[in-house]
Amino acid sequence: MSLKVLVVDDQGIVRAGFAAVIDAEEDLTVVGEAGDGASAVRLAEELRPDVVVMDVRMPELDGIAATRIITGRQDAPRVLVLTTFDLDAYVFDALRAGASGFLLKDVQPAELLQGIRVVAAGESVLAPSATRRLIGHYASGAGAGTSPGTPAPELDSLTASQRGVLTLVAAGLNNAEIADQLGITVGTVKSHVNALLRKLGLRDRVQATILAYDLGLARPNPPGLHL
């Protein structure tokens, strides 16, 4: 079955361009388009897309606020924020609002398509510049003590293995790298990730990373980082 995608951008020509690129793929189908955040919220409820490709700066309701509303609903779609503006506030606010990814609009079509598939699969994707900003934010201590936007988790509910995997997720390692470092299978890593997300009430690895830094469970480790 095709992944259903909702494209949201206030510029019609940009919106149409993204929709054409996405709709040309056999496994992706654009089910709707919206030109502002309010329409995006309404269409996300009506059309039940798997992924919402969301612009940030829009009239009536901006993309950050729309993302927060959409991801706050039951059985919410994944949101991939796509913006021209690589600003700290946009990166942090989008992720805290519940976005599973953040890419710039100058991304290559293949990267956009891969990003959609990645977030639909429950993973996360961040532009390299956004990753550097996120880690730099915590390296400077600016993120210490802030709320991750979810209820305070009971880390005691995690097993030692799950806590170790959470730390490595926050360090930017993918499943294969975590498996290699811990000497376990990729399937076991996936099981640990799914279990810790469920126990902590988190949607994806981006939220897990933010939470780990907020709680001091992880420390910045910029080299080689790739959420």
Side-chain angles (χ1 to χ4, degrees):
M1 295 179 62
S2 294
L3 293 173
K4 297 183 293 183
V5 182
L6 172 63
V7 179
V8 185
D9 197 291
D10 66 334
Q11 297 184 48
I13 191 169
V14 174
R15 190 169 66 245
F18 287 147
V21 169
I22 295 167
D23 230 7
E25 298 296 298
E26 291 185 358
D27 62 330
L28 304 175
T29 300
V30 175
V31 294
E33 299 179 29
D36 58 72
S39 297
V41 170
R42 176 176 55 81
L43 289 177
E45 180 72 15
E46 292 178 3
L47 303 174
R48 298 289 180 179
D50 299 297
V51 177
V52 179
V53 176
M54 180 76 75
D55 187 21
V56 171
R57 297 182 65 173
M58 295 183 294
E60 294 191 44
L61 189 71
D62 67 31
I64 303 299
T67 294
R68 185 173 294 108
I69 294 170
I70 290 171
T71 59
R73 292 173 172 171
Q74 190 172 10
D75 298 322
R78 302 285 175 172
V79 176
L80 175 60
V81 170
L82 206 62
T83 181
T84 306
F85 305 94
D86 183 18
L87 302 178
D88 288 352
Y90 289 162
V91 176
F92 305 137
D93 290 350
L95 298 181
R96 290 189 182 281
S100 295
F102 186 100
L103 294 174
L104 299 180
K105 285 185 178 179
D106 62 1
V107 68
Q108 294 298 311
E111 294 177 88
L112 168 60
L113 297 171
Q114 179 64 10
I116 292 172
R117 296 181 180 110
V118 166
V119 299
E123 299 290 336
S124 52
V125 59
L126 291 177
S129 59
T131 301
R132 289 193 296 271
R133 288 171 182 269
L134 179 64
I135 299 307
H137 178 70
Y138 285 98
S140 70
T146 57
S147 169
T150 58
E154 294 294 337
L155 288 180
D156 289 342
S157 68
L158 300 183
T159 66
S161 295
Q162 290 164 359
R163 188 180 292 224
V165 168
L166 173 58
T167 301
L168 294 176
V169 166
L173 277 66
N174 60 34
N175 288 344
E177 291 167 336
I178 293 173
D180 183 63
Q181 180 155 331
L182 297 180
I184 58 180
T185 67
V186 172
T188 300
V189 174
K190 289 181 179 179
S191 296
H192 284 324
V193 171
N194 290 335
L196 70 88
L197 291 178
R198 183 180 66 255
K199 288 181 178 181
L200 299 178
L202 304 173
R203 276 183 296 272
D204 52 41
R205 297 166 79 102
V206 167
Q207 281 201 328
T209 297
I210 292 174
L211 181 60
Y213 278 97
D214 281 341
L215 297 178
L217 190 62
R219 289 289 181 267
N221 184 27
L225 190 82
H226 49 85
L227 289 176

